[in-house]
Amino acid sequence: MGAVKGNQTLRSHSLRAISQLIKDDADFKKRRLPVNDLRYFNRWLARTASLGLIGAGFESIRIVRNINNSSGRERVLHVTSLLSILSQGGISLVQALGASFGRLSANFMVGGVVTGMLLVATITYIIVNISINKLKKGAYEIWLSETPWGVGKNRAEWSTKSGLLESARENQQVVSEAIAKLETIVKQPTISHEVIEKVTAYPQYTHKETLGIKLNIQVPEQATGLPIRLKSNLETLDESAKIARSENGYFVDVSTKELPQYLSINLEYQLGDEQGKNHAYWFQHAVKQSASYSSIIDTDKQKKIDASITSDWLVL
């Protein structure tokens, strides 16, 4: 490959063009160019670019899933990330095809223009993903940033009252609210689901019929035994659900012929009769993606989930 880098003729002509010149031009043939080095270079580039193309394909699938489960600024960043990874994949595709069929010159496939485009796409991808990671805070990070000891813009403030008793009461209220939020995080459940289908095989095709969906609600040890209720955008949830206890929570089988594109759930631990005492959680996930997922922290997303709810409360 070093001979390719140091030979202007090899760099500026495609393998197919050089092979044709050697065949048709006797003077060109006498130059005895190290064509085998160009062949080795093309094979190496074809393999490397193919691996890059496969990697870009898998990453694109992952990003598309993130786009489907995000909104607002986060969604814009994921779309930008997808465009950058598709650019990288497009460049890898051109390199793989050009090197495999010997149609493109080394100067074009790894030259300044293509390398520059690949560099810009890669840098964009890195910057965007750093921005996404900064945007995404864990539940504990958000909780800490909102306490009086945090540095978030929504952090709670200590009392500014001059009276000692009045100030102490307000500060006690601040601490109590912070502890209640922390308790909500500690007792956070996780949910996974599985679509229930009836598959019938025929000689020419396979028929799939949706029968319902199975929810697996897992609660941490600290929340075991607490009464739970939930509602969802599954309209038949409160009418057709079959509930069974599991070792770490509940299984809920819901019979329905039609499923939404995204499963939305609002779940609460019932801790008392007074409004606001329940620990509430919101979940949303693509129905076709079977995975375990945690509750959504973003308040804007929580409001959208509330707006999509169609069922009444189901007490487990």
Side-chain angles (χ1 to χ4, degrees):
M1 288 186 286
V4 176
K5 185 178 180 181
N7 192 303
Q8 176 62 27
T9 304
L10 290 180
R11 292 201 317 269
S12 59
H13 291 74
S14 70
L15 179 61
R16 181 162 293 198
I18 289 179
S19 299
Q20 192 65 38
L21 285 170
I22 292 174
K23 182 179 178 181
D24 298 339
D25 191 330
D27 292 333
F28 194 87
K29 186 176 182 179
K30 291 178 182 178
R31 296 172 63 178
R32 297 185 178 279
L33 292 168
V35 181
N36 281 336
D37 284 354
L38 183 58
R39 289 195 180 96
Y40 293 140
F41 171 79
N42 276 19
R43 288 174 189 167
W44 167 80
L45 182 60
R47 291 169 184 169
T48 304
S50 296
L51 291 174
L53 181 60
I54 293 170
F58 282 117
E59 181 65 5
S60 296
I61 293 171
R62 185 189 70 83
I63 296 173
V64 168
R65 290 175 179 170
N66 289 335
I67 291 172
N68 291 335
N69 293 320
S70 62
S71 62
R73 185 185 172 195
E74 184 183 345
R75 185 183 180 89
V76 172
L77 288 172
H78 281 306
V79 170
T80 306
S81 179
L82 178 63
L83 293 175
S84 65
I85 204 70
L86 288 177
S87 299
Q88 295 177 49
I91 293 169
S92 295
L93 178 62
V94 170
Q95 289 176 328
L97 293 176
S100 298
F101 294 102
R103 291 282 190 178
L104 299 176
S105 68
N107 270 353
F108 178 82
M109 292 187 292
V110 294
V113 175
V114 172
T115 303
M117 292 170 62
L118 187 60
L119 183 62
V120 169
T122 303
I123 292 174
T124 301
Y125 175 78
I126 293 171
I127 292 174
V128 167
N129 278 274
I130 290 173
S131 300
I132 291 172
N133 288 332
K134 285 185 177 180
L135 193 64
K136 280 188 169 182
K137 287 184 176 180
Y140 286 99
E141 289 179 283
I142 292 176
W143 171 79
L144 185 59
S145 71
E146 292 179 347
T147 64
W149 304 278
V151 294
K153 62 180 181 181
N154 295 324
R155 71 187 184 97
E157 299 286 348
W158 293 117
S159 175
T160 56
K161 296 289 178 63
S162 57
L164 182 62
L165 184 59
E166 210 171 14
S167 176
R169 284 175 180 171
E170 286 193 5
N171 287 337
Q172 185 179 5
Q173 180 66 24
V174 169
V175 172
S176 297
E177 289 176 359
I179 292 173
K181 287 180 180 179
L182 179 60
E183 189 179 358
T184 298
I185 295 170
V186 170
K187 293 179 178 178
Q188 177 180 212
T190 58
I191 292 180
S192 61
H193 69 261
E194 179 184 356
V195 177
I196 304 170
E197 294 179 321
K198 178 183 178 182
V199 180
T200 306
Y202 293 98
Q204 301 296 328
Y205 66 97
T206 300
H207 175 70
K208 290 184 179 181
E209 181 185 1
T210 300
L211 300 179
I213 190 168
K214 186 184 191 74
L215 307 179
N216 181 7
I217 302 169
Q218 294 185 313
V219 299
E221 186 177 349
Q222 297 92 331
T224 303
L226 291 177
I228 297 176
R229 67 176 185 173
L230 71 151
K231 54 184 177 179
S232 171
N233 60 341
L234 300 171
E235 292 187 5
T236 60
L237 175 69
D238 54 309
E239 301 171 358
S240 65
K242 295 179 181 178
I243 305 165
R245 287 297 301 264
S246 68
E247 185 178 352
N248 298 316
Y250 298 88
F251 290 114
V252 181
D253 289 354
V254 183
S255 299
T256 179
K257 298 283 186 181
E258 297 181 2
L259 290 173
Q261 184 178 0
Y262 294 96
L263 176 63
S264 300
I265 294 174
N266 176 207
L267 182 148
E268 288 186 355
Y269 294 123
Q270 295 179 275
L271 304 179
D273 296 331
E274 295 179 28
Q275 189 176 4
K277 277 196 172 184
N278 295 343
H279 291 319
Y281 306 89
W282 290 262
F283 301 84
Q284 190 172 64
H285 201 76
V287 168
K288 292 184 179 180
Q289 298 173 11
S290 296
S292 179
Y293 41 97
S294 302
S295 63
I296 290 173
I297 303 168
D298 189 293
T299 54
D300 290 333
K301 291 181 181 179
Q302 291 174 357
K303 291 175 183 177
K304 290 181 179 179
I305 291 172
D306 282 335
S308 69
I309 299 296
T310 55
S311 75
D312 290 329
W313 287 107
L314 173 70
V315 179
L316 304 184

